[in-house]
Amino acid sequence: MGEVRTDHLADERRRAEFDVEAMKIVWAGSKHAFDMSDRMGRIVASDPVFRKDNRAMLGRKELFKNTMRKAAHAWKRIIELRLSEEEASRFRAFVDEPAFTDLHWGMFVPAIKGQGTDEQQQKWLPLAYKMQIVGCYAQTELGHGSNVQGLETTATFDPKSDEFIINSPTLTSSKWWPGGLGKASTHAVVYARLILGNQFHGVHGFIVQLRSMDDHVPLPGITVGDIGMKFGNGAYNTMDNGVLRFNNVRIARNQMLMRVSQVTREGKFVQSNVPRQLVYGTMVYVRQTIVSDASIALSRAVCVATRYSAVRRQFGAMNGGPETQVIDYKTQQNRLFPLLASAYAFRFVGEWLKWLYTDVTQRLQAKDFSTLPEAHACTAGLKSLTTSITADGIEECRKLCGGHGYLFSSGLPELFAVYVPSCTYEGDNYVLQLQVARILMKTVSQLGSGVQPVGTTAYLGQVEHLMQCECSVQKAEDWLKPSIIQEAFEARATRMAVASAQKLSTMPNQEEGFAELSADLVEVAIAHCQLIIVSKFIEKLQQDVTGKGVRKQLEILCNVYALSLLHKHQGDFLATGSITPEQASLANDQLRHLYDQVRPNAVALVDAFNYTDHYLGSVLGRYDGNVYPKLYEEAWKDPLNDSDVPDGYNEYLRPMLKQQLHLARL
């Protein structure tokens, strides 16, 4: 066995052509955000209660008990350290374990803040903020997910008692999937069909107590439990996703969330003067969070794959010299570097979405709804695109790590198992892209009527130019010009949208036409969303970025992101005439050259994520690059290695080896 080298990453870091500390601040968003995140990460990493390397070894009951222990300890530390709401959120994120508290803070509290009246917020939020109640968000049912209007749970008003009767009339009306519901939550925001008399008045949220505050036993009329094991070991099985059924459970009338609409004591349905569109503000917030989470998950996987690709050597040894670093192979770069660029791209579009949420909220309060449909579609599309790419990207990073990437200790199988449900929760990704397509088709259909496109669809206002313009690229270096990249992506998105709109206009029935063309329309929506991300990356480059070489690296990553997309989707660009075959070839030449520029900076670019080894949770992605000794060490921690002779040897294996199966206790 040859000498194990551990200095590869130190060598790599010396090659960096930019100020890594400055890039860390760019990644974090600000010096304040960096300092806060760095401090929270280190506090969590240094606390032995938050160890996570043994999750795959634990049985389900022990796993969930351990999660409750961590959640309680985290809350204790948050109180002791007197953390702000922002600090507490980062602290919980670095604990890095799906838990019932995620839904309490991420869905239950925002639902009350967004849909509850001032009086309801004054009653319920103090309890929630102090964790005196634990809440979840019970919307999805066994039979309905994306189609919220199809939910079957009922809330029937009883004017005699001034109460709502919550009921699950069918098996498929069972609430199914809400995190925290299975075992932990004391309360839920339950979405149900509001029935007054015999009339249906839409789906509304109701605060329902599920369990006794004395002994945690389910209350009368409530059947509740966990839905069972999910994909992967450890992973999302730390979360108690639940099933819930109601048998005529009565709640007070004032437990209906009534900020937007109310039911009076007499049983009349009344719309408040608060615009119903405010509900969309919460949706924009949640989806913005999901996009930010996508950048974090993808960057973790890319960090592991990049560091390990620099440590791992295979083939190419000459005259007894070292083998070639895997990261130096063009095939590895072609798969890895676009994902590295995507992590940065998603980070910056996530920052922009935070601004969009603030803008939408201010407009809603001023009763300006003009940008709402586009903002809603934009966040839906970006949620869909970023989560799909991230889920696929994590799996690609696992494969980039070869066989060792399949080990639990690589961190990648569990990261994938935890992340992949994001492709379906908060909206199925294909359903969401079709929502984007509807907005795009409506926008195109109104172009001739004087209605100006707004927000991320504003480029469609230049439809005449974009339908006719010719790409001006003549040499490979031309593809480094942001204006050329921007116009190519705008032309492609415009021409795809117009072509689909023209096909739709020939259909006798618009809804049937939409269903028939749905696969094409998803591609139209994806082109639009890719344009948004490219545009926001280019806008980031126009901001004040400080630090030696930082802007140059961001320019390289922006170009890698855009040109790798152009290469991957060149069929669209060519079919729409947005570029020529020669220009596509030049883009590919330039992309290869960009990989050469990324190569010496790759490890430093993932160091800029500033993740602790605890948070990465990967032997392959260790900061010190000391991979092989640690892999060997981890192997011996497996319970199978507690003894040389396995349990069951005498009962099963020995009789087989000794040809005495007739004596085996089978």
Side-chain angles (χ1 to χ4, degrees):
M1 184 175 175
E3 180 185 352
V4 178
R5 288 172 53 90
T6 60
D7 62 347
H8 291 307
L9 296 184
D11 292 343
E12 290 289 330
R13 291 181 177 110
R14 281 190 287 271
R15 298 175 66 184
E17 300 165 338
F18 68 98
D19 183 343
V20 179
E21 295 306 310
M23 186 68 88
K24 287 179 181 179
I25 293 170
V26 171
W27 174 263
S30 68
K31 181 68 165 62
H32 163 74
F34 169 76
D35 290 340
M36 183 264 295
S37 188
D38 185 63
R39 177 172 169 251
M40 295 301 105
R42 292 181 189 282
I43 291 172
V44 171
S46 64
D47 194 325
V49 172
F50 297 125
R51 75 170 284 201
K52 56 185 187 179
D53 59 336
N54 62 339
R55 283 193 294 226
M57 315 291 185
L58 302 178
R60 183 75 199 286
K61 283 188 174 182
E62 193 179 358
L63 185 67
F64 187 66
K65 186 176 181 181
N66 194 41
T67 300
M68 289 192 289
R69 174 177 174 244
K70 288 183 182 180
H73 184 66
W75 185 238
K76 177 171 175 280
R77 294 295 289 140
I78 286 167
I79 293 170
E80 290 171 349
L81 295 167
R82 297 182 177 181
L83 300 185
S84 67
E85 195 172 331
E86 184 185 21
E87 288 171 329
S89 176
R90 292 306 301 146
F91 188 97
R92 285 189 293 269
F94 282 120
V95 172
D96 191 37
E97 183 158 305
F100 56 89
T101 48
D102 298 352
L103 280 298
H104 175 86
W105 294 107
M107 296 295 286
F108 181 73
V109 169
I112 295 173
K113 287 171 72 174
Q115 299 167 41
T117 62
D118 291 343
E119 295 79 10
Q120 289 174 321
Q121 292 185 43
Q122 288 164 12
K123 175 181 179 179
W124 295 103
L125 289 179
L127 297 171
Y129 282 142
K130 293 177 184 175
M131 294 294 289
Q132 290 176 295
I133 60 174
V134 176
C136 66
Y137 187 87
Q139 178 174 296
T140 300
E141 296 178 353
L142 188 57
H144 288 89
S146 297
N147 181 13
V148 176
Q149 293 306 310
L151 296 178
E152 298 175 85
T153 302
T154 57
T156 305
F157 183 62
D158 179 358
K160 293 179 183 176
S161 62
D162 195 26
E163 294 173 318
F164 289 107
I165 303 168
I166 312 294
N167 196 45
S168 305
T170 63
L171 179 67
T172 50
S173 69
S174 306
K175 295 298 178 185
W176 190 273
W177 275 116
L181 171 64
K183 293 296 172 184
S185 292
T186 60
H187 291 69
V189 171
V190 175
Y191 286 85
R193 301 169 69 83
L194 174 61
I195 297 173
L196 304 176
N198 293 316
Q199 283 194 307
F200 167 55
H201 288 272
V203 172
H204 297 266
F206 301 81
I207 299 176
V208 184
Q209 184 176 341
L210 306 175
R211 293 177 168 95
S212 163
M213 298 305 294
D214 295 322
D215 57 12
H216 208 61
V217 171
L219 296 178
I222 288 175
T223 302
V224 62
D226 188 273
I227 61 172
M229 287 287 284
K230 300 167 289 278
F231 184 57
N233 286 351
Y236 220 84
N237 290 299
T238 56
M239 181 72 80
D240 54 327
N241 296 93
V243 53
L244 171 66
R245 288 181 60 75
F246 298 99
N247 183 13
N248 297 322
V249 173
R250 289 177 174 267
I251 62 170
R253 178 172 55 86
N254 65 10
Q255 285 176 234
M256 171 183 166
L257 292 174
M258 294 196 190
R259 186 178 184 189
V260 174
S261 49
Q262 292 104 33
V263 172
T264 67
R265 175 65 186 86
E266 296 73 33
K268 292 184 179 178
F269 183 74
V270 180
Q271 289 287 147
S272 75
N273 57 4
V274 175
R276 185 165 183 78
Q277 289 92 334
L278 272 177
V279 177
Y280 288 111
T282 305
M283 203 176 293
V284 170
Y285 169 77
V286 171
R287 287 176 179 163
Q288 163 257 309
T289 304
I290 292 173
V291 172
S292 294
D293 289 346
S295 75
I296 293 170
L298 182 56
S299 62
R300 288 174 67 177
V302 167
C303 185
V304 172
T306 301
R307 287 177 177 172
Y308 180 62
S309 295
V311 170
R312 183 75 167 176
R313 290 176 178 268
Q314 291 289 292
F315 305 111
M318 300 289 287
N319 302 319
E323 294 178 271
T324 302
Q325 288 171 276
V326 170
I327 199 170
D328 285 329
Y329 289 107
K330 291 296 181 183
T331 49
Q332 192 83 350
Q333 294 176 8
N334 189 51
R335 295 160 66 195
L336 177 60
F337 291 168
L339 293 175
L340 172 60
S342 296
Y344 275 89
F346 294 174
R347 185 69 169 185
F348 299 145
V349 82
E351 283 181 5
W352 171 73
L353 282 178
K354 288 179 184 175
W355 170 85
L356 181 69
Y357 170 65
T358 304
D359 181 66
V360 165
T361 303
Q362 291 171 348
R363 287 174 181 270
L364 286 174
Q365 289 167 350
K367 297 190 177 180
D368 172 7
F369 310 129
S370 60
T371 64
L372 189 60
E374 184 276 328
H376 177 239
C378 165
T379 54
L382 289 174
K383 180 272 177 186
S384 172
L385 184 71
T386 57
T387 55
S388 293
I389 296 299
T390 296
D392 292 345
I394 295 169
E395 170 62 4
E396 186 67 13
C397 286
R398 182 192 68 76
K399 291 186 280 192
L400 282 162
C401 291
H404 296 334
Y406 193 64
L407 284 168
F408 181 84
S409 60
S410 78
L412 295 169
E414 189 177 32
L415 180 60
F416 178 74
V418 166
Y419 189 76
V420 77
S422 64
C423 294
T424 41
Y425 65 56
E426 285 308 300
D428 174 86
N429 281 356
Y430 280 86
V431 173
L432 292 180
Q433 291 294 17
L434 288 172
Q435 291 178 11
V436 178
R438 282 192 184 277
I439 293 294
L440 291 172
M441 293 302 98
K442 183 178 180 181
T443 303
V444 171
S445 70
Q446 293 176 336
L447 287 176
S449 62
V451 178
Q452 280 298 110
V454 296
T456 60
T457 62
Y459 67 95
L460 289 169
Q462 299 177 277
V463 63
E464 290 185 15
H465 168 71
L466 291 171
M467 290 298 290
Q468 298 173 2
C469 65
E470 295 181 0
C471 181
S472 60
V473 166
Q474 295 182 329
K475 56 185 185 297
E477 296 77 26
D478 290 341
W479 279 116
L480 300 179
K481 298 175 183 176
S483 59
I484 286 179
I485 289 174
Q486 180 95 17
E487 187 174 76
F489 275 81
E490 287 179 350
R492 169 222 187 189
T494 300
R495 295 173 193 191
M496 289 176 70
V498 169
S500 288
Q502 287 173 342
K503 288 178 187 175
L504 262 182
S505 67
T506 65
M507 302 279 185
N509 180 297
Q510 286 291 294
E511 282 306 308
E512 287 180 10
F514 201 88
E516 177 67 24
L517 295 173
S518 58
D520 292 348
L521 290 167
V522 165
E523 296 301 318
V524 170
I526 288 172
H528 172 69
C529 292
Q530 288 173 344
L531 167 60
I532 295 172
I533 299 175
V534 168
S535 300
K536 298 309 167 187
F537 209 147
I538 290 172
E539 284 180 18
K540 182 71 177 179
L541 299 177
Q542 295 165 354
Q543 296 174 10
D544 184 27
V545 178
T546 59
K548 176 202 163 198
V550 170
R551 181 181 298 280
K552 176 66 174 173
Q553 293 306 312
L554 292 179
E555 288 172 353
I556 292 168
L557 289 172
C558 180
N559 290 327
V560 167
Y561 180 71
L563 295 184
S564 62
L565 282 180
L566 189 148
H567 178 66
K568 184 178 179 181
H569 298 277
Q570 66 178 275
D572 290 344
F573 285 90
L574 292 171
T576 56
S578 304
I579 62 173
T580 66
E582 293 76 15
Q583 289 167 336
S585 179
L586 290 172
N588 204 31
D589 292 342
Q590 185 58 54
L591 186 58
R592 283 197 304 274
H593 182 58
L594 288 166
Y595 291 160
D596 292 338
Q597 297 175 62
V598 172
R599 169 63 190 93
N601 299 287
V603 168
L605 284 166
V606 300
D607 284 351
F609 302 148
N610 199 43
Y611 296 144
T612 63
D613 281 347
H614 172 272
Y615 185 59
L616 269 188
S618 171
V619 171
L620 303 187
R622 292 174 56 89
Y623 184 85
D624 64 9
N626 196 21
V627 170
Y628 297 127
K630 293 299 179 181
L631 271 177
Y632 188 80
E633 186 181 306
E634 284 297 313
W636 294 105
K637 293 179 182 178
D638 193 285
L640 273 181
N641 291 322
D642 288 348
S643 63
D644 289 330
V645 178
D647 292 346
Y649 168 77
N650 286 314
E651 295 97 321
Y652 312 115
L653 190 54
R654 190 175 191 280
M656 187 164 62
L657 293 169
K658 299 297 183 182
Q659 303 293 294
Q660 295 176 340
L661 279 173
H662 61 285
L663 300 177
R665 285 178 283 171
L666 299 174

